[in-house]
Amino acid sequence: MVGNQSASVTHNQRVVTPKIASRPVAATLIIAAGLLALFFSLGISISLGAADIKLGTVWEAVFAFQPELTQHQIIQELRIPRALVGAMVGASMAVAGSIMQGMTRNPLAEPGIMGINAGAAFVLALVFAFFPGLSYHMVILYSFAGAALATMIVYGIGSLAPGGLTPLRLALAGTVVATLLQALSSGIAISFKVGQEISFWYAGGVAGSKWSQVAILAPWIAIGLIGAFIMARSISILSLGEELATGLGQKTGRVKLIGSVIVLLLAGASVSAAGPVGFIGLIIPHLTRFLVGTDYRWIIPSSAVLGALFLVLADIGARMVNPPVETPIGVITAVIGVPFFLYLARRDRRGL
Amino acid sequence: MNQVSIQQAEGRRKARTYIVMAVLAVLIIICFVVSMSTGQVRLTPIDMFKTLVGLGTAKQEMILFDFRLPRIVIAVLVGAGLAVSGAILQGVSRNGLADPGLMGINAGAGFAVAAYLMVFAKGGGESVLLLPFVALLGAFSAAGLIYLVAWKNGVTPIRLILVGIGVGLAFAALMILLSIKMDPHTYLYVEVWLAGSIWGSNWTYVAVLLPWIFLLLPFAMYKAGSLNILGLGDQAAAGLGTAVEKERLILLCTSVALAGSCVSIGGGIGFIGLVAPHLARQLVGPRHERMLPATALLGSLLLLVSDFAARNLMAPSELPTGIVVAVIGAPYFLYLLARSKA
């Protein structure tokens, strides 16, 4: 959750001024190496598929595009948008998870576990059933609304319960909200016979991504990510604890509100593009904190880069596990994510 | 409080329990009868009675005996089984939010059944008798895994539940993996079944489920005393001469076996194991010898009503029962969660 320094701050012991552990050198290295790795894995992702294409051809298709070549067309029309959507979704989910964990000081906070993904998915099921053929612009707006719905339910319960949103409560509330929304979605799917469309999308994946999707998605995710970078310092302070943040003169209510809106933008846009892919928002922030310390000015850019890398790699994995069938990305992330979740659940810390 | 007034209070509580049970039994009978008469083809009470005593038309007999009755009986059995399974789990973990569905036990059973159907049965048929065993295997695997991962110089209730949620997520992912390997026919079948539909509407399924319920429910009632003692906490229970770990293991196995056998026939129905024990506790108090029978009756009633709604709300298309249960159960769970102490 928060690093070693701030762990020593308890209610009895507020004299200790906490320091935000920051490792700028490590963080810079990670961002640089991460970007390099991301660049290469994007190349691999683009070259990989039913028709194997050499990396050299990929380079040519990008920098010396010849429209009459089929391979160049496959790369331009199918592979590049897929890789880009993957990178955007990975970065968004990871940053959304980072912000949530920082704001709530809860190690299990994550869009998937909190039911936010299921909320977006539920509203999309409604859209598939009642407004088929809606433009992708509108689909994104609807999935923001769905994400907001689930967040409000889970937060609402947290604020009603005495003692606030402990990790156990969060996991229970998120699971149950997700169960409820999934039940409603599958009820809609069965009644309106749109089950196949929904289940295809529900399994998660970036396979069918197009340039139009990239174009619509990019501004939302850019706004979310830039907003997150701007908020980074405030989130670092909030991650020290609400009382302390107030003591340092922070308007915590406002920070939480803006932070939540950013989470909704990032999670809602990602889900609309790739379906409810879980666990990225759980794993990457923990990994990043382990590597770069507890300063969110470094955590947020690092987790954006690592999240993008992670999802691009997961997408490559999804194609390689069982070719020519594509394994849903959600399964790949769960295979890595569930053991990590279990590790966190086993760990004894206060509040758990 | 002196001896006399304690006895009086106890007497009043007993009387109250009998009244609650009687009311529940009457409600179940009413639902049973209404369920029998309602559907795509309505049967008037007179027709129904005639059919029951063997004077109906062939069509009426088929509707009643081959379609509606087995399904209704299964709803009663599965409801009671899941409810008592949840009550035991809550007693053993001393946490009112425990539920076999939430903790991945149903998912384990469901995964095993889906895998079995995919490999051997291809969507139903002859090997129905094996289903409960397959489901039990899955349920016990899930429960064993949860216990193993949560173990760290003993298990705490919180770790047990959190790890249960994690194991449930793992089975959900495995299920997705399985579903892409399935042929479309089996997939549809498994999808509806997973959503918790009482799909085995014939007497074979009743016959398969019945022995499990008839063995395990009375055994659970017999163990009510142990549950009461475990509720006092491990130290107090040990002080009273209970072999805590052994009793806990026996009770857990009973709960998992109930959940597994019910899931094998009823599919992934959650929340009954959560809602029914809570309502029962409010009606007859926390002592398990009174609470467990009330829980069983409430579970039956809840599932009967939900199944009735599932069949008739969106008629002529039919919703899986589990969806209706979730729509009722999940808000109730969230309400309980909001009231629970940290």
Side-chain angles (χ1 to χ4, degrees):
Chain A
M1 196 168 50
V2 270
N4 297 331
Q5 269 90 346
S6 49
S8 62
V9 183
T10 65
H11 287 288
N12 315 327
Q13 230 185 318
R14 231 171 292 147
V15 233
V16 184
T17 316
K19 280 198 197 104
I20 293 165
S22 173
R23 293 186 212 120
V25 181
T28 317
L29 276 175
I30 284 162
I31 293 173
L35 282 174
L36 199 66
L38 179 62
F39 182 73
F40 275 111
S41 43
L42 282 172
I44 294 168
S45 168
I46 291 168
S47 75
L48 206 82
D52 261 324
I53 296 170
K54 288 199 189 72
L55 277 174
T57 321
V58 173
W59 184 270
E60 279 171 24
V62 178
F63 296 102
F65 179 59
Q66 292 165 284
E68 65 278 5
L69 290 178
T70 325
Q71 287 198 330
H72 283 198
Q73 274 188 348
I74 292 177
I75 287 170
Q76 279 282 350
E77 295 307 313
L78 299 172
R79 303 274 178 85
I80 295 177
R82 174 180 190 154
L84 288 180
V85 169
M88 289 198 290
V89 166
S92 313
M93 293 269 192
V95 170
S98 292
I99 297 176
M100 288 168 75
Q101 287 173 19
M103 284 197 321
T104 61
R105 292 162 59 94
N106 187 326
L108 296 182
E110 195 250 347
I113 292 162
M114 281 190 67
I116 294 183
N117 291 355
F122 164 64
V123 174
L124 289 187
L126 283 176
V127 169
F128 282 132
F130 295 107
F131 314 104
L134 208 67
S135 77
Y136 190 62
H137 281 285
M138 293 305 291
V139 167
I140 289 192
L141 291 181
Y142 277 107
S143 63
F144 292 156
L149 172 80
T151 314
M152 282 191 300
I153 299 175
V154 174
Y155 269 125
I157 286 151
S159 59
L160 286 175
L165 214 52
T166 62
L168 178 67
R169 277 217 188 94
L170 178 93
L172 283 170
T175 310
V176 169
V177 168
T179 309
L180 174 64
L181 294 169
Q182 271 159 24
L184 291 171
S185 307
S186 69
I188 293 164
I190 292 167
S191 306
F192 294 90
K193 303 191 170 53
V194 287
Q196 269 190 319
E197 288 165 66
I198 292 175
S199 71
F200 177 77
W201 170 85
Y202 217 98
V206 288
S209 308
K210 297 183 187 66
W211 275 112
S212 56
Q213 212 173 353
V214 176
I216 297 168
L217 213 53
W220 291 109
I221 288 182
I223 293 171
L225 289 181
I226 292 168
F229 296 144
I230 295 171
M231 292 293 290
R233 209 183 99 80
S234 308
I235 291 166
S236 292
I237 292 168
L238 191 56
S239 77
L240 300 173
E242 183 136 16
E243 283 175 51
L244 209 75
T246 316
L248 290 170
Q250 188 180 65
K251 294 196 173 75
T252 53
R254 193 199 291 173
V255 173
K256 281 184 171 174
L257 182 70
I258 300 173
S260 304
V261 171
I262 293 172
V263 167
L264 294 182
L265 281 182
L266 292 172
S270 310
V271 175
S272 77
V277 179
F279 294 108
I280 297 184
L282 181 74
I283 303 169
I284 299 295
H286 280 277
L287 181 68
T288 327
R289 261 195 307 273
F290 175 72
L291 292 172
V292 308
T294 51
D295 186 342
Y296 279 78
R297 281 174 299 181
W298 291 109
I299 290 176
I300 286 175
S302 308
S303 60
V305 172
L306 292 181
L309 178 64
F310 183 85
L311 195 65
V312 172
L313 290 177
D315 184 40
I316 294 173
R319 280 176 277 173
M320 287 179 38
V321 171
N322 185 25
V325 182
E326 296 209 2
T327 308
I329 281 195
V331 174
I332 309 266
T333 55
V335 165
I336 306 164
V338 167
F340 190 74
F341 179 93
L342 292 178
Y343 160 75
L344 290 176
R346 255 178 73 90
R347 222 166 35 155
D348 285 305
R349 28 163 74 254
R350 256 154 22 98
L352 249 181
Chain B
M1 219 189 257
N2 60 37
Q3 201 63 40
V4 181
S5 60
I6 289 177
Q7 275 173 8
Q8 277 174 347
E10 182 64 19
R12 272 202 301 275
R13 219 167 281 148
K14 239 182 207 157
R16 188 182 151 92
T17 306
Y18 288 133
I19 294 170
V20 167
M21 304 277 214
V23 171
L24 285 175
V26 170
L27 285 175
I28 288 176
I29 292 168
I30 292 173
C31 283
F32 205 103
V33 173
V34 173
S35 271
M36 277 199 296
S37 72
T38 322
Q40 286 216 50
V41 179
R42 280 193 65 88
L43 296 176
T44 63
I46 298 165
D47 281 344
M48 205 173 67
F49 185 73
K50 272 176 157 173
T51 316
L52 280 177
V53 295
L55 296 169
T57 63
K59 191 185 166 203
Q60 284 169 342
E61 277 194 359
M62 192 179 75
I63 290 172
L64 200 61
F65 289 117
D66 292 351
F67 293 118
R68 286 194 195 152
L69 244 136
R71 181 167 179 160
I72 295 168
V73 172
I74 285 173
V76 169
L77 294 177
V78 168
L82 286 175
V84 171
S85 170
I88 299 174
L89 219 53
Q90 290 175 11
V92 170
S93 70
R94 288 198 296 280
N95 189 314
L97 300 174
D99 171 71
L102 203 61
M103 291 176 62
I105 293 171
N106 290 2
F111 174 74
V113 171
Y116 169 78
L117 288 178
M118 186 177 140
V119 178
F120 296 107
K122 299 275 181 203
E126 319 86 70
S127 28
V128 161
L129 281 173
L130 277 175
L131 278 184
F133 292 99
V134 175
L136 285 184
L137 194 71
F140 274 106
S141 309
L145 197 62
I146 293 167
Y147 210 79
L148 211 68
V149 177
W151 183 272
K152 196 171 162 187
N153 307 317
V155 290
T156 65
I158 288 174
R159 255 204 321 265
L160 212 58
I161 294 178
L162 273 178
V163 168
I165 290 174
V167 169
L169 291 170
F171 276 110
L174 284 176
M175 194 63 107
I176 295 176
L177 210 55
L178 207 61
S179 69
I180 41 174
K181 291 270 193 185
M182 280 178 196
D183 62 274
H185 178 68
T186 317
Y187 176 72
L188 194 72
Y189 181 75
V190 169
E191 188 197 20
V192 172
W193 174 74
L194 277 180
S197 93
I198 301 178
W199 53 289
S201 323
N202 71 52
W203 292 106
T204 319
Y205 292 93
V206 177
V208 167
L209 183 59
L210 208 57
W212 294 93
I213 300 291
F214 270 20
L215 277 175
L216 292 169
L217 277 194
F219 183 72
M221 311 285 177
Y222 166 71
K223 283 284 176 192
S226 294
L227 276 172
N228 289 337
I229 293 170
L230 282 181
L232 302 171
D234 287 3
Q235 274 189 327
L240 288 167
T242 308
V244 174
E245 286 298 336
K246 188 181 140 219
E247 286 299 311
R248 183 156 44 208
L249 195 65
I250 293 173
L251 283 161
L252 272 178
C253 286
T254 314
S255 165
V256 173
L258 272 171
S261 50
C262 287
V263 167
S264 72
I265 303 297
I269 295 174
F271 294 109
I272 296 263
L274 182 94
V275 175
H278 272 277
L279 294 177
R281 237 175 261 125
Q282 279 176 6
L283 288 172
V284 302
R287 289 187 66 88
H288 284 88
E289 56 273 20
R290 287 196 278 269
M291 187 268 230
L292 285 180
T295 301
L297 289 176
L298 274 164
S300 293
L301 183 64
L302 272 172
L303 199 55
L304 261 180
V305 173
S306 304
D307 189 48
F308 178 78
R311 280 189 295 139
N312 295 299
L313 272 183
M314 312 274 294
S317 67
E318 190 174 291
L319 283 174
T321 313
I323 290 176
V324 179
V325 180
V327 169
I328 304 168
Y332 186 70
F333 179 92
L334 295 174
Y335 162 74
L336 289 176
L337 186 65
R339 280 192 354 164
S340 69
K341 291 184 189 73

